[in-house]
Amino acid sequence: MEVGLQLQRPMSCRFHERGLFKFKHVLGSLASFNTAQSIQFISWRTECSTGGVSHEISASSDFSRKRGRRFSPRPKGSAPEGFMPKVPVGMSTQRDHKNNDDKKGSSMLVSSEYAGSTKKTPERKVAIKKEPVIGLPKNSQIEKGIVDETAKQIKEIPGTSKNFRVSNSSQLAGNGSLGRVGSVESDISEDAYQKSKYLAPDKSSDSVNDEVIEGDMKVSEDASLKSKMEWEAKLKMEMEAKLRMEMETKIKMEMEAKLRSEMEAKICKQEIEKLAQENFLKGTKMFVYPQVVKPDQDIEVFLNRSLSTLSDEPNVLIMGSFNDWRWRSFTARLNKTQFQGDWWSCQLHVPKESYKMDFVFFNGQSKYDNNDQKDFYITVEGGMDVLAFEDFLLEEKRREQEKLAEEKAKRERQEEEQRRIEAEKAADEADKEQAKKETERKREMLHQLTKRPARSVDNVWYIEPSDFKGEDFVRLYYNKSSGPLAHAEELWLHGGHNNWKDGLSIASRLVSSEKTGGDWWYAEVTVPDGALVLDWVFADGPPQKAVVYDNNGHQDFHAIVPKTVPEELYWIEEEHQTYRKLQEQRRIREEAVRAKAEKTAHMKAETKERTLRKFLLSQKHIVHTDPLDVKAGSTVMVFYNPANTVLSGKSEVWFRYSFNRWTHHMGPLPPQKMLHVENSSHVKTTVKVPLDAYMMDFVFSEREDGGIFDNKNSMDYHIPVSGSVAKEPPMHIVHIAVEMAPIAKVGGLGDVVTSLSRAVQDLNHNVDIILPKYDCLKHGNVKDFEYQRSYHWGGTEIKVWTGKVEGLVVYFLEPQNGFFRTGCIYGCKNDGQRFGLFCHAALEFLLQGGFHPDILHCHDWSSAPVSWLFKDYYMHYGLGKTRVVFTIHNLEFGAELIGKAMAHSHKATTVSPTYSKEVAGHPAIAPHLYKFHGIINGIDQDIWDPFNDNFIPVSYTSENVDEGKRAAKEALQQRVGLKKADLPLVGIISRLTHQKGIHLIKHAIWHTIERNGQVVLLGSAPDPRIQNDFVNLANQLHSGHGDHARLCLNYDEPLSHLIYAGADFILVPSIFEPCGLTQLTAMRYGSIPVVRKTGGLYDTVFDVDHDKESAEAQGLEPNGFNFDGADTAGVDYALNRAISAWYDGRDWFNSLRKKVMQQDWSWNRPALDYMELYHSARKN
């Protein structure tokens, strides 16, 4: 087939100096292209005589005919209808036909059906040649990459062979000539090509001549090539035509856009000129175009300099921002315009987030036109409003925080990995050093050993063969009559090697030998590989069963291995093996520590999450939300039950709320009338939670304008919000106390100060503690202890020391008058004077040190003076924002000082709700009940943790509580000398005072023994008479009931842990107990508390038979046994039920201790309650 290229000269086109072929990549199926298309050459550069005229070269072909049709050559001179004869285009590849009618070297002319005009047009004959034409100007070449891509796409079409080729751009010539573009020739159909592709001669057929077969194969191959080339040309032309059409469309669109732009610019100029004239005549200082400003738009700002304070300035600039100066600031220079008046202008872009543009003009230095101090502004129409922009800013902040958090986490991971690598390196070096030392030690020991061994001992033992090495099989002979085994019925060899390096590694029974000259026996053994020395003894039985030994007079038997590996090589290998062993041991140890730490953290997190959920559900009988977990940016439903509040029976309930402890920038929001819930006493309302809310705050009222309020006894209702882009600002709390565990502890006060401070600090608040510097401090528990400074107060120098205790910053105050160099915390005749000085010195330290705490928390009578000294001397002199919280730990001491502190503090607490009711009528408390609250104490779950307790034999959790407590009971029985038996064990850990019910303790000991139980008591009495009484009781019990009772009358910290873990029950029969930590610790270790119902014991222990409802009200299950009276009948009633449950329902009892272990009696919940109290104090 021949392809005709038509050269046309459309006169409507302009001449372009340079010409380029431009191709675009064609995507999609090639089969979808039209069959007859052409390529247009735009800006064709030519050097021929037809310069000044644009030329178009088109190549077309029609493949629409039936595929099986063959194309025949037209008679010379003939042409299709409607066409002028064309000069044949030379083919670059020709083949001879069987019919040699054509002249040699001529080309066959095959034309498609053209749908063109019969009008004669100027033509140029372009020969398609095989030879490439060089000299094409660089910027007139076809874009090579595009053509190559086209060729690549054609090659990838199924059915094409690797012989199929498309010429590249280097074959297209400039200067008006065209090289080979991709001419094709075909005499057969595509069907023939597909058939011929798989045609192969049948060599087994006798009827086919070999020459005929070869000829047919050649014809088939030629036909396939022609068919492929024909298909190539067709696809190429379709692609080129499509590219041309796209180029034409693009040019047309660009011209239209340019024209439209020019028209718009002209209209804009006219409008601006009109506006400038109008504003000039009106005397307007500035205007903006377009007049209606929209988001994401370019605008032009105009200033009439002559009306501005900048009228004499050569430079005029604009400075501004968007959305009340909160978004994207800008500065730009204005240029003078040609409009009537002294108009200056600049162009600005309005961001899509804008609702307002704020700006001023200035001279680039210090002279401004700020619209008479009101600034200029332009309202942006159709975009965000203020609230939408606030949400947008919060989203931006959230994304920024997420990015920062991700970067921080990445840095922390990298730092952690670096620390791990460094630690690994250091540990590895330590292992190498230790391996070296151990090897040297073994080498020296073995060296000393090899000085003594021989290959045999006459008439005692010898080895055959005498020359042997590691892994050899030898016989070791022993003269039975030579030692203590002469009368043994059996003889055994227990052996090892290299000074028993691997312990007992050889055990072999000896058999009798026929050797004479003694009672000779022998054992057959394999010498261990690497043995330098063999070690053994003889015995009358196998390992673990032998009784009589011959161990060579306690020196064991040793024999040198004659043919050993070189000693240096052995010790090199020994050191390497020791190193590998140390590494493996370390890896196992570190993995165990890591796994335990991960499990501990997981359990603590789970416990904390459960506690928070219970905290939210604890007020469900009054108020709750749906969903329970309130998230920032969400909408929640608030449900309220007025039937349980002061608003019971009111016809209306109004919801009054805000966020972030009433400090949110939106302020208190308008009251919402709550709607009644069908078939319920509840009312409800819907609340949209802002993205920057971390707390939802609300109260309820009977009317829109107020009336009666339910504000939770002045505490208000608060629900935490998760996922906020804002974080709650940390509060600064300072505890001023005279006790702190573990460095200065006498009673529970010291535990509370330390544990509460740690729990609040874990909530991301800042906590400091001020403590006297006693000379009896346990300095070993203080880290980074150092002198800081000194100051004077009341004529006394006060030295200040700092350190960290349990991760808390502590300031130790040391008056130089010797008040705290007494060797004790309490017990001096001038305790009131000592602690009064300390309280005043602490406040002075805060003032002089520039501290501005939010909360001062003082405790009991000993630091009560802080409350009135603060109000009298410091509240108005630098500590104005500070609020004082006072906690009563025990009203039994210092009632007068406590009463004065109650009057001067902003909020007051005691250590349990029930104890607060029990003391409510006390004269020191009664006048101040409106600010008095009971908050239960907690225990430090890091100190009291059976999973990480080094004082008990087996670590355990609620999952393996039976195993752990069984092992602990056995260890406890062994430790104190009780009978090892499976009996109910009652533990008592207490100070022996009348407050603790010592008469009930004595009775309970005897009653437990009567019930065939065991008792362990740990405690001491500050009163010598009580102490002596219990010493006599201990002697009586030990002599008559030593298997069932032990009294340890001193303080023993490790033993207390073992009692909590090993006991089945913990008895706490206190006459009064403000809180009590013993019962809480007992439950942490899975021991069931047996208590008298008073104070904190009543609030924490719920009887399994009587308190199910009260437990459920607290989100708990019953967890122990309790009694009411203070007589022996009451304690018998509780103990009998407990011991009977142990004997008669062991499975039930085991499940009970698993349940109590899962209850959270840590500081998680009390810390939340104290934070509510602190915030309430600040609000007031």
Side-chain angles (χ1 to χ4, degrees):
M1 185 192 79
E2 294 183 346
V3 181
L5 298 180
Q6 187 178 26
L7 182 62
Q8 301 175 346
R9 293 186 296 177
M11 302 305 292
S12 61
C13 297
R14 296 168 56 190
F15 172 74
H16 300 275
E17 182 180 357
R18 295 182 179 271
L20 290 171
F21 291 120
K22 292 193 177 180
F23 293 84
K24 290 186 178 178
H25 294 283
V26 180
L27 303 177
S29 173
L30 294 173
S32 65
F33 288 177
N34 294 328
T35 58
Q37 294 184 356
S38 61
I39 180 169
Q40 180 180 12
F41 297 85
I42 302 170
S43 300
W44 176 264
R45 180 179 178 181
T46 178
E47 297 179 4
C48 64
S49 58
T50 58
V53 180
S54 295
H55 298 82
E56 181 181 89
I57 301 177
S58 62
S60 60
S61 177
D62 187 355
F63 289 92
S64 61
R65 301 190 181 190
K66 189 175 182 181
R67 296 179 65 182
R69 179 177 176 183
R70 294 174 60 90
F71 290 89
S72 301
R74 289 185 180 276
K76 188 174 182 179
S78 65
E81 185 179 355
F83 278 80
M84 298 295 293
K86 308 289 183 182
V87 177
V89 178
M91 296 298 295
S92 60
T93 303
Q94 302 179 20
R95 72 177 180 86
D96 295 333
H97 295 274
K98 293 180 181 180
N99 186 354
N100 292 324
D101 294 339
D102 295 333
K103 294 182 180 180
K104 186 177 181 180
S106 65
S107 298
M108 183 178 295
L109 177 63
V110 180
S111 177
S112 303
E113 296 180 1
Y114 290 88
S117 171
T118 58
K119 182 178 179 181
K120 184 174 182 179
T121 48
E123 299 176 357
R124 170 165 297 218
K125 303 169 189 171
V126 182
I128 301 178
K129 298 184 180 295
K130 181 176 182 180
E131 296 79 16
V133 180
I134 62 174
L136 180 66
K138 182 176 180 181
N139 53 359
S140 68
Q141 296 180 11
I142 299 176
E143 298 181 25
K144 182 178 184 300
I146 298 175
V147 178
D148 288 345
E149 180 65 23
T150 304
K152 179 181 177 183
Q153 293 179 8
I154 294 175
K155 289 179 186 178
E156 293 172 353
I157 297 172
T160 62
S161 77
K162 57 188 177 182
N163 295 322
F164 194 59
R165 296 289 184 265
V166 178
S167 59
N168 60 27
S169 60
S170 65
Q171 294 170 297
L172 296 173
N175 301 327
S177 63
L178 181 65
R180 182 178 185 274
V181 177
S183 60
V184 299
E185 183 177 359
S186 176
D187 290 328
I188 63 173
S189 67
E190 177 64 18
D191 291 338
Y193 155 65
Q194 293 290 347
K195 293 177 181 178
S196 66
K197 180 179 179 182
Y198 301 102
L199 183 61
D202 184 359
K203 295 182 180 180
S204 65
S205 176
D206 296 333
S207 61
V208 180
N209 185 278
D210 290 345
E211 294 180 0
V212 175
I213 292 173
E214 292 175 2
D216 288 346
M217 290 176 64
K218 186 176 189 324
V219 170
S220 177
E221 292 173 358
D222 291 345
S224 298
L225 178 60
K226 290 172 64 177
S227 179
K228 294 175 186 177
M229 294 174 67
E230 180 184 83
W231 193 13
E232 173 191 13
K234 170 187 173 182
L235 296 178
K236 185 174 186 303
M237 286 188 292
E238 290 174 345
M239 293 167 62
E240 291 170 346
K242 185 174 180 66
L243 291 171
R244 184 201 64 190
M245 292 176 64
E246 290 177 352
M247 184 64 73
E248 290 174 346
T249 302
K250 180 179 179 182
I251 292 173
K252 182 178 179 181
M253 292 176 64
E254 289 176 351
M255 292 179 64
E256 290 176 350
K258 181 179 179 182
L259 182 60
R260 185 165 54 251
S261 177
E262 291 174 350
M263 293 177 63
E264 290 174 352
K266 185 176 180 180
I267 294 172
C268 288
K269 184 177 180 181
Q270 293 173 351
E271 291 179 351
I272 293 173
E273 188 172 4
K274 182 180 178 181
L275 285 171
Q277 185 176 9
E278 290 176 355
N279 283 281
F280 174 74
L281 295 175
K282 292 178 183 179
T284 304
K285 185 185 294 187
M286 61 81 58
F287 71 92
V288 65
Y289 181 85
Q291 292 177 285
V292 177
V293 178
K294 296 182 179 180
D296 199 18
Q297 181 186 49
D298 290 326
I299 65 171
E300 191 165 4
V301 178
F302 293 84
L303 171 69
N304 190 338
R305 188 183 63 166
S306 62
L307 300 180
S308 168
T309 57
L310 306 174
S311 57
D312 298 328
E313 299 296 327
N315 297 316
V316 180
L317 291 85
I318 185 172
M319 178 175 64
S321 186
F322 296 91
N323 299 356
D324 298 305
W325 297 93
R326 299 172 63 195
W327 184 246
R328 292 194 182 178
S329 60
F330 59 84
T331 301
R333 181 177 296 275
L334 278 69
N335 298 306
K336 192 168 186 330
T337 69
Q338 300 302 318
F339 301 134
Q340 181 181 3
D342 192 13
W343 290 107
W344 294 59
S345 76
C346 70
Q347 290 189 345
L348 298 170
H349 181 76
V350 180
K352 62 182 179 181
E353 304 86 5
S354 306
Y355 61 83
K356 181 184 178 187
M357 187 173 87
D358 311 278
F359 55 95
V360 296
F361 299 99
F362 72 116
N363 66 346
Q365 297 178 0
S366 59
K367 192 171 183 180
Y368 287 82
D369 182 350
N370 59 6
N371 195 26
D372 296 329
Q373 298 185 346
K374 293 180 290 186
D375 296 343
F376 296 94
Y377 73 89
I378 297 170
T379 302
V380 180
E381 304 288 347
M384 292 184 176
D385 58 16
V386 177
L387 293 178
F389 179 68
E390 291 292 341
D391 289 343
F392 166 76
L393 284 182
L394 294 175
E395 280 293 346
E396 286 287 297
K397 187 174 181 180
R398 185 201 296 275
R399 283 192 288 269
E400 181 65 21
Q401 287 178 347
E402 290 174 351
K403 181 181 177 182
L404 292 174
E406 184 178 343
E407 292 173 352
K408 181 181 178 182
K410 183 179 179 181
R411 285 196 306 272
E412 289 176 348
R413 287 193 301 269
Q414 292 173 342
E415 292 169 359
E416 178 62 28
E417 179 63 15
Q418 185 63 32
R419 285 194 295 267
R420 187 196 66 77
I421 292 172
E422 292 174 357
E424 177 69 23
K425 184 178 179 181
D428 189 66
E429 291 298 323
D431 288 344
K432 288 180 180 178
E433 186 64 26
Q434 185 178 349
K436 184 177 181 180
K437 290 180 179 179
E438 288 191 14
T439 303
E440 287 296 329
R441 180 180 55 80
K442 292 177 184 177
R443 186 171 188 172
E444 180 60 28
M445 291 177 63
L446 199 59
H447 177 69
Q448 296 298 325
L449 195 63
T450 56
K451 292 179 180 180
R452 299 192 303 271
R455 299 190 183 187
S456 64
V457 175
D458 291 342
N459 205 37
V460 178
W461 66 268
Y462 68 93
I463 298 175
E464 287 186 351
S466 58
D467 263 357
F468 57 89
K469 63 181 185 302
E471 299 185 335
D472 282 357
F473 191 73
V474 300
R475 282 186 177 184
L476 197 157
Y477 288 85
Y478 171 62
N479 187 353
K480 179 181 177 183
S481 60
S482 66
L485 298 175
H487 303 290
E489 295 181 1
E490 295 183 10
L491 288 179
W492 282 78
L493 182 147
H494 303 174
H497 69 287
N498 296 354
N499 200 26
W500 303 96
K501 169 193 168 187
D502 295 328
L504 181 65
S505 59
I506 302 171
S508 180
R509 183 173 182 176
L510 281 74
V511 297
S512 179
S513 169
E514 296 178 355
K515 180 178 174 59
T516 59
D519 190 3
W520 290 94
W521 294 63
Y522 69 88
E524 295 181 333
V525 299
T526 300
V527 180
D529 184 28
L532 301 177
V533 175
L534 291 178
D535 317 295
W536 74 92
V537 297
F538 298 106
D540 64 349
Q544 313 301 328
K545 295 183 179 180
V547 176
V548 180
Y549 289 86
D550 182 354
N551 57 12
N552 192 25
H554 300 289
Q555 296 182 14
D556 298 344
F557 294 95
H558 305 283
I560 294 175
V561 179
K563 299 165 66 175
T564 63
V565 296
E567 189 173 0
E568 282 304 319
L569 292 178
Y570 170 81
W571 290 115
I572 290 173
E573 178 61 24
E574 176 67 16
E575 182 175 334
H576 188 59
Q577 288 182 1
T578 304
Y579 166 67
R580 288 202 304 265
K581 182 179 179 181
L582 290 171
Q583 277 194 315
E584 181 62 18
Q585 290 173 346
R586 177 169 56 83
R587 186 193 64 78
I588 294 172
R589 186 169 59 252
E590 289 176 351
E591 182 60 33
V593 171
R594 182 163 48 250
K596 197 167 189 177
E598 289 177 355
K599 185 172 183 179
T600 300
H602 178 70
M603 290 190 299
K604 289 176 70 174
E606 277 191 335
T607 301
K608 203 167 188 177
E609 185 177 349
R610 286 199 306 268
T611 300
L612 177 59
R613 189 171 184 85
K614 287 178 181 178
F615 175 73
L616 297 177
L617 288 172
S618 64
Q619 51 189 6
K620 189 174 182 179
H621 61 293
I622 297 176
V623 65
H624 69 279
T625 61
D626 184 19
L628 187 65
D629 182 15
V630 179
K631 295 184 180 298
S634 67
T635 299
V636 298
M637 188 75 72
V638 178
F639 293 89
Y640 174 65
N641 186 1
N644 296 322
T645 72
V646 294
L647 298 181
S648 177
K650 302 298 180 182
S651 60
E652 293 182 356
V653 175
W654 288 78
F655 181 75
R656 319 174 86 89
Y657 70 110
S658 186
F659 300 94
N660 300 352
R661 305 284 179 184
W662 303 96
T663 64
H664 195 268
H665 63 83
M666 292 191 299
L669 296 165
Q672 295 180 195
K673 184 177 180 180
M674 303 190 76
L675 305 176
H676 286 279
V677 178
E678 291 185 10
N679 303 320
S680 173
S681 59
H682 284 79
V683 289
K684 65 180 181 180
T685 191
T686 302
V687 177
K688 178 69 172 68
V689 184
L691 284 168
D692 60 343
Y694 53 80
M695 188 71 66
M696 186 164 69
D697 321 295
F698 50 93
V699 297
F700 304 94
S701 65
E702 64 173 329
R703 299 193 306 269
E704 183 177 8
D705 60 349
I708 298 175
F709 280 84
D710 174 12
N711 61 4
K712 199 182 177 182
N713 296 323
S714 77
M715 297 284 287
D716 298 344
Y717 292 94
H718 304 281
I719 294 179
V721 177
S722 61
S724 174
V725 299
K727 302 299 180 185
E728 183 172 9
M731 194 178 288
H732 184 196
I733 300 102
V734 174
H735 288 267
I736 300 177
V738 301
E739 288 188 48
M740 181 185 184
I743 59 172
K745 175 184 172 181
V746 175
L749 188 157
D751 290 317
V752 171
V753 169
T754 302
S755 300
L756 172 59
S757 299
R758 289 181 61 191
V760 170
Q761 186 169 272
D762 286 344
L763 294 174
N764 299 316
H765 298 283
N766 302 319
V767 182
D768 295 323
I769 297 170
I770 303 178
L771 191 75
K773 184 180 180 296
Y774 302 104
D775 56 358
C776 57
L777 278 177
K778 295 180 179 178
H779 290 278
N781 297 107
V782 184
K783 295 182 178 179
D784 304 325
F785 187 70
E786 62 182 8
Y787 172 76
Q788 188 187 62
R789 64 186 181 89
S790 65
Y791 63 97
H792 288 79
W793 178 83
T796 301
E797 181 186 5
I798 313 291
K799 288 187 176 181
V800 181
W801 303 74
T802 62
K804 280 200 168 185
V805 179
E806 301 292 325
L808 298 163
V809 175
V810 182
Y811 296 95
F812 301 91
L813 304 187
E814 183 185 19
Q816 295 303 292
N817 58 8
F819 271 12
F820 297 100
R821 298 173 190 161
T822 59
C824 62
I825 297 175
Y826 303 105
C828 299
K829 293 182 179 180
N830 64 338
D831 278 353
Q833 185 182 3
R834 293 165 66 225
F835 295 137
L837 171 68
F838 163 70
C839 293
H840 213 145
L843 291 168
E844 190 67 23
F845 165 73
L846 294 173
L847 180 64
Q848 293 192 26
F851 290 85
H852 298 282
D854 298 293
I855 299 293
L856 283 179
H857 197 153
C858 45
H859 303 263
D860 260 359
W861 69 270
S862 52
S863 60
V866 168
S867 59
W868 64 80
L869 290 173
F870 169 79
K871 278 198 171 181
D872 291 344
Y873 299 103
Y874 293 94
M875 186 173 70
H876 302 295
Y877 301 97
L879 297 177
K881 74 167 189 174
T882 304
R883 298 293 180 265
V884 176
V885 173
F886 176 65
T887 295
I888 302 170
H889 296 265
N890 194 335
L891 191 56
E892 187 179 7
F893 306 101
E896 184 179 346
L897 296 177
I898 288 174
K900 192 172 181 180
M902 288 289 296
H904 287 84
S905 60
H906 296 91
K907 291 286 183 182
T909 73
T910 191
V911 292
S912 71
T914 297
Y915 186 65
S916 70
K917 297 172 185 175
E918 291 173 349
V919 300
H922 193 283
I925 308 298
H928 314 292
L929 291 179
Y930 67 95
K931 59 181 176 182
F932 189 49
H933 304 269
I935 300 176
I936 196 75
N937 284 341
I939 58 171
D940 192 317
Q941 59 182 348
D942 292 332
I943 297 173
W944 302 104
D945 179 9
F947 188 60
N948 291 284
D949 196 326
N950 295 324
F951 298 131
I952 62 177
V954 175
S955 299
Y956 64 94
T957 67
S958 61
E959 298 171 358
N960 63 329
V961 57
D962 295 342
E963 173 194 355
K965 292 191 70 65
R966 182 167 53 250
K969 178 184 282 189
E970 293 175 358
L972 176 60
Q973 290 169 334
Q974 182 179 359
R975 166 80 184 272
V976 300
L978 293 179
K979 175 184 177 181
K980 282 193 175 181
D982 186 20
L983 298 174
L985 198 157
V986 177
I988 303 170
I989 302 173
S990 175
R991 285 186 297 113
L992 300 177
T993 64
H994 291 289
Q995 174 201 339
K996 299 298 181 180
I998 53 177
H999 68 293
L1000 298 178
I1001 290 175
K1002 292 177 182 178
H1003 176 80
I1005 292 172
W1006 290 109
H1007 189 73
T1008 301
I1009 294 172
E1010 291 173 4
R1011 291 295 309 269
N1012 195 30
Q1014 293 179 322
V1015 180
V1016 177
L1017 179 146
L1018 176 65
S1020 61
D1023 187 333
R1025 292 172 298 177
I1026 297 175
Q1027 181 76 4
N1028 290 332
D1029 191 18
F1030 272 88
V1031 168
N1032 294 332
L1033 177 62
N1035 293 332
Q1036 181 183 357
L1037 290 169
H1038 294 173
S1039 61
H1041 303 279
D1043 288 347
H1044 286 76
R1046 277 292 185 274
L1047 274 59
C1048 305
L1049 302 177
N1050 58 346
Y1051 180 73
D1052 187 329
E1053 179 77 8
L1055 181 58
S1056 69
H1057 286 250
L1058 192 57
I1059 293 173
Y1060 280 124
D1064 296 300
F1065 307 98
I1066 295 293
L1067 177 67
V1068 191
S1070 301
I1071 302 304
F1072 73 92
E1073 191 66 69
C1075 176
L1077 301 179
T1078 304
Q1079 79 280 10
L1080 306 181
T1081 308
M1083 289 187 280
R1084 173 73 165 158
Y1085 281 76
S1087 297
I1088 307 304
V1090 180
V1091 305
R1092 183 175 175 274
K1093 294 199 292 186
T1094 182
L1097 300 175
Y1098 182 86
D1099 294 323
T1100 56
V1101 179
F1102 303 96
D1103 194 283
V1104 295
D1105 296 320
H1106 308 299
D1107 295 334
K1108 185 176 181 180
E1109 290 184 2
S1110 57
E1112 288 178 349
Q1114 299 296 322
L1116 298 169
E1117 293 186 58
N1119 52 15
F1121 300 87
N1122 57 34
F1123 60 95
D1124 286 305
D1127 55 5
T1128 58
V1131 73
D1132 285 349
Y1133 172 68
L1135 265 180
N1136 283 336
R1137 288 184 295 129
I1139 294 174
S1140 296
W1142 189 93
Y1143 275 118
D1144 302 336
R1146 187 70 67 87
D1147 290 342
W1148 175 86
F1149 179 80
N1150 291 341
S1151 67
L1152 176 62
R1153 60 189 183 187
K1154 182 175 182 178
K1155 288 177 183 177
V1156 302
M1157 281 196 75
Q1158 292 172 339
Q1159 294 180 354
D1160 181 15
W1161 296 107
S1162 71
W1163 278 94
N1164 288 334
R1165 172 63 187 270
L1168 295 173
D1169 291 331
Y1170 268 104
M1171 288 310 304
E1172 289 295 304
L1173 187 81
Y1174 292 157
H1175 283 293
S1176 178
R1178 289 185 67 196
K1179 178 171 173 270
N1180 293 339

